[in-house]
């Protein structure tokens, strides 16, 4: 923060995004109560565990209203993985039942219990009690080490800078390491602040100095060259892990551009959600101006974790892109999203909607007798054009709509690589509509997503 005015602006932002002292005390007190319940229950069963509050709440880097509680139950290394799972689920459920919450089993590297208690979503996760990653048995075992590292290296002022960075990234849509966003994780934000110390320093370096394969190694392990990702940040507690592995080149680039935009016009608006105002007629007009032929393929998706279903939808989109190219339909642009009703929408925007009835096949030079014979056997109607053989043949599909509707028939689907759940849902039911029809018969949520498709930089400028 460079000036007194900057301090005033950032203090104003922090007053809105930072939990109050009282809110934090309530969360810590409640977390301690839950950990005591588990510890006492484990002791009564003669099970040795250590409970630890981890994550952003423990590190003082949680945004207001985002203070989900993560309690890790660390078991000795000599416990089997089966016992870890069994006792982890049992202890978590017992704690939730004791305080009258609602429990649900979920899966990460192994099963864990999540519960809704007093308005908080609380995860009870079993792990192994390790002091360093030499003894690592599963990915979650690192989490306590991450919390310990940040707690021992980060000042209270730097924790506030993390909040500013997280909020900024949230508002420019680059925050979140899940597949849906493929952006910056909370832990990655914390490490960036440990590297650059302030929000503004991160922004200035991103805007002016960051390039592809940027390397950050806080503990000087010297392992950066093992990775070729957009951003390489070696985990301070594990020299063999890139914390930024989930960050896509797209979100890395978007953050750089958003940082440049912010420096040109540093506004408090960058810390507020940007609203979208649009109408069906406006969107239809914009597509007509593009002169392209755009369609929306929609199907239901099951209610499964986003990191399960989003890769499947993306895989389906990539397969549709590839097959479109096989049949000579050139895509101008494409995209996808899943709405709040668990409906996936895949957008396919083509240069043309129909092609000629025939296509040309280019053959060998006429001087190549062997390949000439092979070509003529394959294409009996081949003829000479200058010194080469060519042939015309009928296309399999002459319109986009015929192509899509035919390749989505069960007997023709083998040409596609669909996500398992997507294939199941498409076989049940799907819709394939021209964009104009889709726009004129949909809700505001979908209109907003179509607006963002047409304005991909919208959230990067405030």
């Amino acid at each position: 923060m460079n000036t007194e005015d900057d301090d005033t602006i950032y203090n104003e932002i922090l007053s809105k995004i930072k939990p109050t002292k009282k809110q934090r005390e309530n969360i810590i007190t409640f977390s301690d109560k839950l950990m005591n319940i588990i510890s006492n229950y484990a002791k009564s069963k003669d099970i040795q565990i250590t409970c630890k509050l981890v994550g952003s709440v423990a590190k003082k880097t949680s945004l207001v209203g985002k203070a989900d509680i993560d309690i890790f139950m660390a078991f000795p290394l000599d416990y089997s993985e089966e016992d870890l799972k069994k006792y982890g689920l049992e202890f978590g459920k017992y704690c939730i039942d004791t305080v009258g919450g609602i429990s649900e089993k979920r899966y990460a590297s192994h099963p864990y219990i999540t519960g809704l208690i007093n308005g908080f979503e609380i995860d009870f996760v079993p792990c192994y009690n390790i002091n360093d990653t030499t003894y690592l048995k599963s990915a979650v075992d690192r989490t306590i080490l991450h919390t310990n590292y940040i707690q021992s290296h980060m000042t209270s002022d730097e924790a506030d800078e993390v909040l500013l960075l997280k909020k900024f990234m949230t508002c420019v849509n680059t925050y979140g390491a899940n597949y849906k966003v493929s952006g910056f994780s909370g832990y990655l934000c914390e490490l960036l602040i440990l590297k650059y110390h302030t929000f503004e320093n991160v922004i200035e370096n991103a805007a002016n100095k960051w390039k592809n394969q940027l390397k950050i190694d806080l503990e000087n392990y010297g392992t950066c060259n093992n990775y070729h990702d957009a951003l390489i940040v070696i985990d301070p507690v594990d020299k063999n892990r890139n914390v930024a592995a989930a960050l896509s080149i797209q979100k890395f680039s978007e953050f750089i551009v958003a940082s440049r935009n912010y420096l040109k016009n540093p506004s408090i608006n960058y810390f507020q959600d940007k609203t979208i105002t649009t109408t069906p007629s406006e969107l239809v007009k914009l597509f007509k101006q593009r002169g392209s032929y755009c369609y929306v393929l929609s199907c239901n998706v099951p209610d499964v974790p986003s990191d399960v279903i989003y890769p499947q939808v993306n895989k389906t989109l990539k397969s549709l892109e590839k097959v479109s190219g096989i049949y000579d339909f050139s895509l101008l642009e494409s995209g996808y999203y899943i709405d709040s009703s668990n409906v996936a929408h895949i957008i396919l925007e083509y240069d043309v909607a129909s092609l000629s009835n025939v296509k040309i096949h280019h053959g060998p030079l006429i001087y190549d007798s062997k390949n000439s014979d092979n070509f003529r056997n394959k294409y009996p109607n081949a003829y000479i054009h200058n010194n080469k053989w060519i042939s015309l043949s009928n296309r399999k599909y002459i319109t986009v709509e015929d192509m899509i509707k035919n390749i989505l028939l069960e007997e023709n689907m083998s040409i596609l690589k669909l996500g398992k759940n997507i294939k199941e849902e498409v076989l049940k039911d799907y819709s394939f509509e021209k964009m104009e029809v889709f726009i004129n018969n949909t809700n505001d949520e979908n209109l907003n997503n179509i607006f963002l498709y047409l304005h991909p930089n919208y959230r990067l400028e405030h």
Side-chain angles (χ1 to χ4, degrees), residues 173-183 246 248 250-251 254 305-311 314 336-340 445 449 459:
N173 197 35
T174 59
Y175 181 69
N178 57 355
Y179 196 95
K180 177 181 178 179
V181 180
S182 298
S248 67
Q250 177 73 27
K251 292 302 175 181
E254 287 180 8
S306 63
D307 278 2
V308 173
I309 199 63
Y310 272 87
N314 185 54
Y336 72 92
Y337 65 93
I338 299 174
D339 67 23
S340 59
E445 180 188 2
N449 278 294
R459 286 176 173 156

Side-chain angles (χ1 to χ4, degrees), residues 7-53:
D7 285 344
T8 302
I9 291 171
Y10 290 137
N11 286 334
E12 181 184 344
I13 296 165
L14 283 169
S15 70
K16 296 175 181 176
I17 66 174
K18 181 180 178 179
T20 65
K21 184 179 179 181
K22 183 65 176 173
Q23 287 172 328
R24 179 167 173 75
E25 285 176 354
N26 289 340
I27 294 170
I28 297 299
T29 300
F30 185 55
S31 300
D32 288 342
K33 175 185 175 182
L34 298 177
M35 289 190 288
N36 283 332
I37 291 171
I38 292 175
S39 296
N40 291 332
Y41 183 68
K43 191 180 294 183
S44 74
K45 309 250 316 178
D46 200 26
I47 304 295
Q48 298 175 343
I49 64 167
T50 303
C51 287
K52 171 83 173 178
L53 179 65

Side-chain angles (χ1 to χ4, degrees), residues 49 73-77 79-91 109-111 125-129 137-138 140-141:
I49 64 167
M73 301 169 285
F75 290 76
L77 283 167
Y79 277 59
S80 70
E81 191 171 335
E82 289 72 26
D83 283 343
L84 190 84
K85 294 175 183 177
K86 181 180 78 170
Y87 291 126
L89 293 173
E90 179 186 338
F91 295 173
S109 55
H110 48 243
V125 183
C127 67
Y128 283 103
N129 195 355
K137 289 193 175 185
S138 71
V140 296
D141 295 346

Side-chain angles (χ1 to χ4, degrees), residues 44-72:
S44 74
K45 309 250 316 178
D46 200 26
I47 304 295
Q48 298 175 343
I49 64 167
T50 303
C51 287
K52 171 83 173 178
L53 179 65
V54 299
S56 58
V57 169
K59 294 178 281 190
K60 300 181 181 178
T61 58
S62 61
L63 294 165
V64 68
K66 304 289 184 182
D68 293 335
I69 298 171
D70 298 316
I71 292 174
F72 273 48

Side-chain angles (χ1 to χ4, degrees), residues 249-398:
I249 186 69
Q250 177 73 27
K251 292 302 175 181
F252 180 69
S253 302
E254 287 180 8
F255 179 70
I256 290 172
V257 171
S259 298
R260 289 176 185 162
N261 293 341
Y262 177 76
L263 290 180
K264 289 175 186 174
N265 178 32
S267 164
I268 199 170
N269 292 336
Y270 278 90
F271 299 89
Q272 299 167 349
D273 292 333
K274 193 173 184 182
T275 57
I276 296 172
T277 304
T278 190
T279 62
S281 58
E282 176 191 343
L283 296 175
V284 169
K285 180 181 177 183
L286 289 171
F287 275 106
K288 284 184 176 178
Q289 288 172 351
R290 287 158 85 102
S292 58
Y293 299 85
C294 197
Y295 303 84
V296 182
L297 172 65
S298 304
C299 71
N300 293 322
V301 294
D303 185 14
V304 297
S306 63
D307 278 2
V308 173
I309 199 63
Y310 272 87
Q312 292 190 31
V313 180
N314 185 54
K315 179 181 180 181
T316 301
L317 168 61
K318 296 303 178 189
S319 185
L320 288 167
E321 290 174 346
K322 183 177 180 180
V323 171
S324 293
I326 289 172
Y327 292 117
D328 299 326
F329 289 101
S330 175
L331 275 160
L332 175 69
E333 189 54 276
S334 62
Y336 72 92
Y337 65 93
I338 299 174
D339 67 23
S340 59
S341 300
N342 277 340
V343 179
H345 303 280
I346 294 175
I347 303 168
L348 299 167
E349 188 173 3
Y350 294 91
D351 285 321
V352 296
S354 62
L355 299 167
S356 60
N357 290 325
V358 294
K359 67 181 293 184
I360 193 167
H361 299 277
H362 293 275
L365 292 166
I366 60 123
Y367 315 118
D368 183 347
S369 60
K370 182 178 179 180
N371 284 318
S372 291
D373 287 344
N374 291 338
F375 188 76
R376 295 191 70 192
N377 286 334
K378 185 174 181 181
Y379 300 105
N381 295 324
Y383 58 93
I384 301 166
H385 183 79
N386 293 326
N387 61 348
K388 287 185 177 180
W389 290 101
I390 63 172
S391 175
L392 297 178
S393 65
N394 290 328
R395 293 184 187 278
K396 188 167 186 177
Y397 305 116
I398 62 172

